Amino acid sequence: MFALKLALVAFSVLLSTLAARRFGHRVGGAVAGMPMIAAPVIAILLLDHDAGQVRAVALATLVCLPAAVVHIVGFAAGAGRWGAPVCVSLALLAYACASAVLTHLPLAPVPVSLLALAAPAAGLWFAAHHAGPAVPVTVPRVELVLRIAVAVAMAAVIIAGADVLPPAISGLLLAVPITGTVLPCFTLPRYGAAATRSLVAGFLQGLHGFAAFFMTLYWTLGATGRLVAFLMALAAALATAAVMQALRRRMQRPETAGTA
């Protein structure tokens, strides 16, 4: 099981990087923001734990999701001023502080869900105004291997903790943006601040699907079977991703017409 989880992380980084190579940093970020890692982990948890425990993990993940937005936006904000080591250190610190605040707020499930949906939208509004153009990216094979290796190492620590720690901490760990940490660290020094912000904008776009997945899972798991709840959560994530992409294309049309 542990090896399977790490393989899924490697696949997520690989797919995100290949998408960036073909379509640009923003598309790669959008792929990375989707629950490609968290969804398989949840599927395994549904096999090994009772529905109530998984539901608690889903809610804890939603609680910490705004902290993930703070993390990735913080990295983007510092990208034009500092190097990757400083940016990722500040971003992880911001994540830890925001998570500590959020986990101690006495919020009911409904406001938690609404906040989880609103946070990526607010972050996207900021990042989209500073993003670079969507152009294909040349990512050398050596860099691709390094991206996967670093992501797998980070995931090994997170997944090991999520399997044995209480639901609140497990949710906090699952919400840590692994690809949202690794990919910007490789993007900033090689491709620059504008490309990093484009990646971040895409990541925040994808996080809408992440939020939809865990929201749907939480609210349906108590009322339906595990398989049905999981499939509904996946459908909600994919539908949300399609809507976000359609909205992005629609918003780009006036810009294209104005420059013609």
Side-chain angles (χ1 to χ4, degrees):
M1 287 291 188
F2 186 75
L4 175 61
K5 295 174 185 179
L6 296 185
L8 291 169
V9 172
F11 176 74
S12 173
V13 175
L14 174 63
L15 189 61
S16 302
T17 302
L18 292 179
R21 289 174 69 173
R22 178 65 178 86
F23 302 105
H25 290 291
R26 179 151 183 165
V27 175
V31 172
M34 291 290 289
M36 290 195 300
I37 297 173
V41 171
I42 287 295
I44 295 171
L45 290 178
L46 283 170
L47 294 174
D48 296 338
H49 299 76
D50 63 65
Q53 288 179 295
V54 179
R55 199 164 180 252
V57 170
L59 183 62
T61 303
L62 289 171
V63 168
C64 296
L65 185 56
V69 174
V70 171
H71 169 282
I72 196 71
V73 171
F75 194 108
R81 304 176 184 179
W82 305 295
V86 174
C87 287
V88 74
S89 298
L90 293 176
L92 289 173
L93 178 61
Y95 174 81
C97 293
S99 296
V101 172
L102 289 167
T103 53
H104 285 84
L105 289 177
L107 296 177
V110 171
V112 165
S113 299
L114 294 177
L115 186 59
L117 282 179
L124 182 58
W125 177 85
F126 169 81
H129 285 76
H130 300 84
V135 295
V137 183
T138 302
V139 180
R141 291 183 179 179
V142 174
E143 181 182 335
L144 176 57
V145 172
L146 287 174
R147 288 183 179 202
I148 293 174
V150 173
V152 168
M154 184 177 179
V157 176
I158 290 175
I159 293 172
D163 282 344
V164 298
L165 293 172
I169 300 178
S170 296
L172 187 152
L173 290 175
L174 283 176
V176 172
I178 298 175
T179 49
T181 298
V182 174
L183 296 183
C185 284
F186 279 91
T187 302
L188 179 58
R190 183 174 179 85
Y191 307 101
T196 302
R197 290 173 183 142
S198 183
L199 173 77
V200 166
F203 189 84
L204 290 164
Q205 179 181 327
L207 275 185
H208 286 81
F210 187 98
F213 173 85
F214 280 99
M215 249 186 70
T216 305
L217 183 71
Y218 176 79
W219 290 107
T220 60
L221 196 54
T224 64
R226 301 184 188 190
L227 178 60
V228 173
F230 183 75
L231 292 177
M232 290 179 66
L234 283 180
L238 294 174
T240 301
V243 169
M244 293 301 300
Q245 184 63 16
L247 288 174
R248 179 182 170 232
R249 289 179 178 177
R250 185 171 183 178
M251 293 176 65
Q252 283 181 325
R253 286 177 186 173
E255 297 177 6
T256 305
T259 56

